[in-house]
């Protein structure tokens, strides 16, 4: 009797299966078994498994693996079937809500897929179908760790959220099912080497974002979810067009088949331009930003997930993945200018906002634009900056969104002016929020390191350099204004630590500690991971906790020591402040016995008020958005059309 030898399963295959299939199984279980006790255990267990698997993956990179031809054929048929089913669902949603664009975009994608299936062209067999290098690993770590922290914190948040909505029946089973499915899709997207698989996971993230934005089922939620669906469907159309172009005209159906020497003519650069367009849509760059701004109506954990570890990061990953192939081309120049423009424009719009979540949304768009600018520059220094920005933006933005969610539930407002003096009502949450702002704009923390590198990388592009410099200045203005508001009047000398769920404190603590630890370890992290993720070409040398290149040195470790010393001094200052004599603001000798009240016209008492200036006449959305969208469309036209010259 003859026994066929069975190929042994490798460790990497098991880990990849856990990263994709376990959250998928947990999502199904959450939806079917509508038990709070099960969900409260299953979500943290999933987070621990994903974190462990992602960390274990780091000791095996780089690696690739494929499937046996028969197994791969089965998977191909399964993925194609689900692709068609997903597009059918999107088509149904569009028809149900009588939306004009959604059905058209779904049908166009179905037509392209159907044409490719009915009139196939021979292409070499893809082997491998999964590839994990340092860039993929970085995204897996972000998705699995930061995404898991957000999902676990959402257990506490959604309980309060649904109590506030006074729902007759809980929808948490559906909410957490989609959140976990999102994590599975993102891990699949960044690990897929086969382009058709990439598109498949790309579409799953689109439908997940729609379901999460529409979760509360209010008219505003439905409207904004439909906007997100049609805009991201446009991105899906751009991506499927690029995938089919590579397959039909170049016989390429996987990233590992790309060769840098080929991408020097329009027939090669045009599909890359479509991939970049898909990435811009996914990352909510102008003029596609409205879907991300509209997504702010969703529960705050959704906003945190979309901004930090999923969705928008898929767009950045896609462009960074193909960035080495358009380096030193006209396409690369256009991507750099487009990203720099988005960085400046979104920073200007953020300056005119007083809604905390919209400030965070514009800040995300701005920082993603900076990452795209770095991808367009394409140098080792620029790609290193993009990778560092990607990592630290994910952790910091997750922290800030969870802080804003906690503040909103505490004061029932997202308005920055309503957060004035918040440190006397919610001192711990306010201080963590201020710390998050410091992490965004001050040394030695990683985002500033990334921006410093980006400015160095832009030194030879005057137009991009000016936009990055102006955008950086505006960024400091809106962050400093928000932090100052949290720590300003009214001061009554009493600090009353607020009550927050244990899961919320745990999430905020983990993310804060993570930012500090990663920032301290940047020089060593650079040597171990970031350099490899940027393309294995050293842009900096690392010596004694400092990063150095021919133009300068960034002394990370000494700055971290100085920051730690400053924190200790701040704790001492707080202790003395609690013992200080409280004095009301001086009001020209006209103040009355009641604090903050002075004698005004007609000898009437007037309550003094303080407020920020938001420059609405200059940076208001109504004034700027139309012009910014027009400028972005012009740059996109140049980006696409320039490849044809």
């Amino acid at each position: 009797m003859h026994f066929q030898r069975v190929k042994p399963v490798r460790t990497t295959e098991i880990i990849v299966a856990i990263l994709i299939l376990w959250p998928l199984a947990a999502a199904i279980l959450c939806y079917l078994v509508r038990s709070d006790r099960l969900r409260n255990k299953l979500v943290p267990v999933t987070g621990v498994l994903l974190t462990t698997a992602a960390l274990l993956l780091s000791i095996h990179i780089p690696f690739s693996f494929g499937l046996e031809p028969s197994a791969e054929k089965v998977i191909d048929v399964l993925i194609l079937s689900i692709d068609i089913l997903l597009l059918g669902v999107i088509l149904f949603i569009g028809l149900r809500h009588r939306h004009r664009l959604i059905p058209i975009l779904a049908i166009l994608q179905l037509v392209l897929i159907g044409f490719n299936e009915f009139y196939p062209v021979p292409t070499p067999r893809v082997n491998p179908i999964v590839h994990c290098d340092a860039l993929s690993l970085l995204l897996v770590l972000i998705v699995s760790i930061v995404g898991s922290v957000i999902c676990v914190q959402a257990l506490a948040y959604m309980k309060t959220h649904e109590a506030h909505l006074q729902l007759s029946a809980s929808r948490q089973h559906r909410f957490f099912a989609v959140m976990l499915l999102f994590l599975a899709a993102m891990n699949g997207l960044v690990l897929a080497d086969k382009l058709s698989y990439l598109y498949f996971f790309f579409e799953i993230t689109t439908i997940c974002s729609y379901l999460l934005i529409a979760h509360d089922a209010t008219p505003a939620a439905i409207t904004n979810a439909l906007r997100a669906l049609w805009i991201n469907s446009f991105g899906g159309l751009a991506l499927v067009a690029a995938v089919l172009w590579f397959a039909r005209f170049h016989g390429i159906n996987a990233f590992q088949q790309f060769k840098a020497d080929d991408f020097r003519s329009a027939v090669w650069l045009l599909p890359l331009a479509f991939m970049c367009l898909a990435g811009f849509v996914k990352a909510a760059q102008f003029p596609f930003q409205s879907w991300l701004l509209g997504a702010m109506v969703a529960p705050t954990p959704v906003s945190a997930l979309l901004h930090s570890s999923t969705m928008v990061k898929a767009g950045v990953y896609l462009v960074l993945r193909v960035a080495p192939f358009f380096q030193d081309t006209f396409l690369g120049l256009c991507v750099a200018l487009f990203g720099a423009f988005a960085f400046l424009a979104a920073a200007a719009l953020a300056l005119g906002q007083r809604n905390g979540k919209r400030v965070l949304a514009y800040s995300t768009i701005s920082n993603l634009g900076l990452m795209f600018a770095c991808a367009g520059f394409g140098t080792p220094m620029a790609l290193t900056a993009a990778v560092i920005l990607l990592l630290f933006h994910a952790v910091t933005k997750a922290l800030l969104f969870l802080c804003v969610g906690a503040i909103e539930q505490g004061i029932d407002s997202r308005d920055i002016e309503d957060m004035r003096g918040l440190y006397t009502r919610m001192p711990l949450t306010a201080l963590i929020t201020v710390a998050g702002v410091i992490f965004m704009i001050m040394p030695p923390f990683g985002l500033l390191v990334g921006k410093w590198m980006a400015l160095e990388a832009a030194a030879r592009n005057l137009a991009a350099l000016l936009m990055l410099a102006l955008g950086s200045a505006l960024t400091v203005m809106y962050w400093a204004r928000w932090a100052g508001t949290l720590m300003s009047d009214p001061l009554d000398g009493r600090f009353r630590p607020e009550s927050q769920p244990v899961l919320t404190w745990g999430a905020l603590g983990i993310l804060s500690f993570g930012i500090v630890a990663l920032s301290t370890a940047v020089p060593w992290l650079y040597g171990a991971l970031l350099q490899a993720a940027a393309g294995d070409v050293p842009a900096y040398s690392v010596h004694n906790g400092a990063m150095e290149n021919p133009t300068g040195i960034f002394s990370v470790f000494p700055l971290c020591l100085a920051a730690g010393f400053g924190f200790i001094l701040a704790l001492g200052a707080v202790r003395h402040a609690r013992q200080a004599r409280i004095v009301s603001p001086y009001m020209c000798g006209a103040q009355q016995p009641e604090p903050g009240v002075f004698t005004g016209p007609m000898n009437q008492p007037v309550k003094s008020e303080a407020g920020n200036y938001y420059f609405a006449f200059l940076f208001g959305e109504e004034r700027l958005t139309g012009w910014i969208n027009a400028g972005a469309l012009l740059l996109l036209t140049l980006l696409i059309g320039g490849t044809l010259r």
Side-chain angles (χ1 to χ4, degrees):
M1 182 179 295
H2 175 71
F3 293 94
Q4 185 177 1
R5 184 177 179 182
V6 179
K7 180 183 177 182
V9 179
R10 294 185 295 178
T11 303
T12 52
E13 295 173 352
I14 296 173
I15 295 174
V16 169
I18 291 173
L19 289 168
I20 300 173
L21 297 181
W22 175 264
L24 173 61
I28 295 172
L29 197 57
C30 267
Y31 186 81
L32 295 178
V33 183
R34 304 179 182 185
S35 165
D36 291 343
R37 292 182 60 185
L38 173 68
R39 185 167 55 249
N40 291 339
K41 293 179 180 178
L42 185 60
V43 173
V45 167
T46 300
V48 170
L49 275 176
L50 289 179
T51 299
T52 304
L55 293 173
L56 288 175
L57 203 65
S58 63
I59 64 177
H60 294 283
I61 63 164
F63 69 85
S64 303
F65 65 81
L67 298 172
E68 296 295 332
S70 57
E72 184 178 337
K73 187 175 181 179
V74 171
I75 297 296
D76 286 346
V77 172
L78 179 62
I79 284 181
L80 176 63
S81 302
I82 300 176
D83 262 337
I84 295 173
L85 177 62
L86 286 174
L87 290 170
V89 169
I90 293 173
L91 176 62
F92 171 77
I93 292 170
L95 293 174
R96 179 187 177 189
H97 290 279
R98 299 181 180 180
H99 197 284
R100 295 180 180 179
L101 288 174
I102 293 174
I104 293 173
L105 293 168
I107 290 171
L108 287 174
Q109 291 180 72
L110 284 169
V111 167
L112 289 176
I113 292 173
F115 177 80
N116 191 60
E117 289 302 313
F118 283 107
Y119 300 98
V121 294
T123 56
R125 178 174 174 266
V126 176
N127 193 15
I129 62 170
V130 169
H131 177 75
C132 184
D133 56 10
L135 179 60
S136 297
L137 173 64
L138 180 65
L139 268 296
V140 168
L141 289 168
I142 290 172
V143 171
S144 300
I145 299 177
V146 179
S148 294
V149 170
I150 293 169
C151 288
V152 172
Q153 190 273 342
L155 290 169
Y157 181 93
M158 291 305 294
K159 183 177 180 180
T160 305
H161 182 75
E162 290 197 340
H164 177 74
L165 293 179
Q166 299 179 341
L167 298 179
S168 58
S170 174
R171 303 180 190 140
Q172 291 190 49
H173 64 285
R174 185 175 64 190
F175 178 85
F176 285 97
V178 180
M179 293 279 278
L180 295 176
L181 177 61
F182 219 145
L183 300 186
M186 277 298 300
N187 279 334
L189 187 150
V190 301
L191 290 170
D193 194 64
K194 194 171 182 178
L195 297 181
S196 59
Y197 292 7
L198 173 79
Y199 169 74
F200 167 70
F201 289 115
F202 194 90
E203 286 301 288
I204 293 180
T205 62
T206 294
I207 199 70
C208 284
S209 64
Y210 164 79
L211 294 172
L212 288 173
I213 297 169
H215 175 75
D216 285 343
T218 61
I222 298 298
T223 299
N224 286 290
L226 291 171
R227 181 187 294 117
L229 186 59
W230 83 255
I231 292 177
N232 282 288
S233 292
F234 177 74
L237 178 62
L239 181 58
V240 74
V243 170
L244 297 183
W245 183 292
F246 278 124
R248 301 194 71 84
F249 296 107
H250 305 297
I252 289 178
N253 47 20
F255 283 123
Q256 293 304 299
Q257 296 172 336
F258 282 23
K259 296 178 181 179
D261 293 339
D262 292 334
F263 292 91
R264 290 296 179 268
S265 62
V267 73
W268 287 90
L269 285 175
L270 186 58
L272 277 190
F274 281 128
M275 279 192 166
C276 290
L277 178 60
F280 296 155
V281 173
K282 210 69 165 177
Q285 297 296 284
F286 299 105
F288 312 109
Q289 78 282 4
S290 61
W291 81 259
L292 190 64
L293 296 169
M296 297 302 98
V297 302
T300 300
V302 175
S303 302
L305 198 69
L306 292 175
H307 286 253
S308 66
S309 55
T310 63
M311 204 60 176
V312 297
K313 293 301 189 294
V316 176
Y317 166 78
L318 184 58
V319 176
L320 284 177
R321 174 59 68 194
V322 299
F325 304 105
F326 56 70
Q327 184 180 356
D328 297 326
T329 66
F330 185 75
L331 175 59
L333 175 62
C334 291
V335 171
L337 291 175
F338 180 84
F341 174 79
F343 176 67
L344 172 60
L349 287 170
L351 190 59
Q353 295 298 311
R354 57 185 289 170
N355 181 308
K357 288 185 76 172
R358 290 184 80 83
V359 172
L360 292 177
Y362 278 121
S363 169
T364 293
I365 297 168
S366 179
N367 279 282
L368 297 178
L370 182 57
M371 298 176 209
F372 286 129
C374 292
F377 298 141
T379 63
M381 186 184 300
L383 294 177
T384 303
V387 170
I388 290 178
L389 289 167
L390 181 68
L391 171 62
F392 283 95
H393 178 267
V395 186
T396 309
K397 196 52 66 77
L399 173 67
L400 286 170
F401 263 108
L402 295 187
C403 284
V404 170
I407 292 170
E408 183 183 7
Q409 289 191 334
I411 67 173
D412 197 28
S413 175
R414 302 172 181 173
D415 195 318
I416 292 175
E417 293 302 317
D418 293 334
M419 300 178 193
R420 182 169 298 278
L422 186 72
Y423 74 109
T424 61
R425 292 170 285 167
M426 301 176 67
L428 296 178
T429 307
L431 288 173
I432 294 173
T433 307
V434 171
V437 171
I438 292 173
F439 296 153
M440 292 289 291
I441 61 175
M442 290 186 66
F445 303 106
L447 270 166
L448 186 68
V449 176
K451 288 180 180 178
W452 170 66
M453 294 179 178
L455 287 169
E456 283 191 336
R460 295 184 179 180
N461 188 322
L462 181 60
L465 180 62
L466 289 174
M467 287 189 282
L468 296 187
L470 288 173
S472 297
L474 296 178
T475 298
V476 172
M477 287 181 65
Y478 66 75
W479 282 128
R481 179 181 63 194
W482 192 353
T485 301
L486 292 172
M487 304 300 291
S488 64
D489 256 353
L491 173 63
D492 58 9
R494 295 185 298 275
F495 297 91
R496 298 176 291 274
E498 70 277 25
S499 174
Q500 294 279 15
V502 174
L503 292 179
T504 297
W505 287 135
L508 298 181
I510 289 171
L511 293 171
S512 299
F513 175 79
I515 296 167
V516 173
L518 289 171
S519 296
T520 306
V522 157
W524 298 275
L525 191 65
Y526 169 75
L529 176 63
L530 300 178
Q531 175 185 321
D536 289 317
V537 180
Y540 297 86
S541 58
V542 178
H543 302 288
N544 300 321
M547 301 177 68
E548 184 177 3
N549 67 12
T551 62
I553 184 170
F554 199 99
S555 300
V556 176
F557 193 61
L559 286 170
C560 287
L561 290 177
F565 183 68
F567 178 72
I568 294 172
L569 290 178
L571 291 178
V574 170
R575 183 175 64 85
H576 289 298
R578 296 185 66 177
Q579 301 171 355
R581 182 170 64 93
I582 307 303
V583 179
S584 298
Y586 179 68
M587 298 181 182
C588 302
Q591 59 261 50
Q592 295 194 1
E594 183 182 352
V597 178
F598 65 94
T599 302
M602 305 295 293
N603 289 322
Q604 296 299 310
V606 178
K607 178 72 174 178
S608 63
E609 295 181 352
N612 290 305
Y613 200 52
Y614 290 91
F615 304 97
F617 72 96
L618 186 60
F619 298 112
E621 287 178 304
E622 297 81 4
R623 178 175 292 273
L624 286 185
T625 301
W627 292 103
I628 289 172
N629 285 342
L633 279 172
L634 180 63
L635 286 172
L636 286 177
T637 303
L638 186 65
L639 184 146
I640 300 294
T643 62
L644 300 176
R645 59 190 192 117

